[in-house]
Amino acid sequence: MTQHVRVQVRRLDPELPLPAYARPGDAGLDLFAREGAVLAPGERALLPTGIAIALPDGHAAFVHPRSGLATRHGVTTVNGPGTVDAGYRGEIKVNLINTDPTETFTVSRGDRIAQLVVQQVALAQLDEVDSLPDSVRGDTGHGASGGFGGVGATP
Ligand SMILES: O=c1ccn([C@H]2C[C@H](O)[C@@H](COP(=O)(O)OP(=O)(O)OP(=O)(O)O)O2)c(=O)[nH]1
Ligand SMILES: [Mg+2]
């Protein structure tokens, strides 16, 4: 069952449509660029989206890159995914970077540059302890479970 949460939104640019889910079942609302930009290889830009939101308590929104831009152009978010706090009332911005080594990437006003995923988040109440409970993983990580290959691959 899909859960819906009501999010108040202010449009800071009346000419841009509200962010929308491109298809039923999509998790991210596509965000539009309020301004264009030209990103040389390796260059980044903080682009305004023309919207500000008020999330209910216990929620956050995450500015995720779009996989099509990443795959075709090497364009992603620098801080991906960026975190929008429930208390943030400013314009949502997208920290875009062109990681392509040779191609310049042009953003036009109105382009869909990133997607906003709204999620419930738990706020941690930190209980300081001297030792943590045992677990199967323990303190292993960073590839400790094996290599990257599938069945039969060398570890
Ligand atoms: O991709 C992003 C990431 C953040 N923000 C806005 C909303 C967020 O609530 C605020 C602060 O973000 P964050 O906490 O990640 O940045 P910070 O560097 O820790 O700044 P601050 O000291 O203001 O918390 O900036 C965006 O518009 N887009
Ligand atoms: Mg912060």
Side-chain angles (χ1 to χ4, degrees), residues 15-36:
E15 287 170 8
L16 288 180
L18 282 178
Y21 297 103
R23 294 202 167 79
D26 285 1
L29 293 155
D30 286 329
L31 295 170
F32 299 101
R34 181 165 67 73
E35 289 170 3

Side-chain angles (χ1 to χ4, degrees), residues 8 13 23-24 31 41 49-50 52 63 83 92 104-105 124 128 139 152 154:
Q8 294 179 45
D13 182 332
R23 294 202 167 79
L31 295 170
T49 62
V63 179
T83 305
I92 293 178
T104 292
F105 183 75
E128 191 175 3
D139 61 3
T154 5

Side-chain angles (χ1 to χ4, degrees), residues 46 63 77 79 81-88 90-95:
L46 189 61
V63 179
T77 53
N79 55 333
T83 305
V84 179
D85 302 290
Y88 181 69
E91 181 169 13
I92 293 178
K93 298 200 173 135
V94 177
N95 226 326

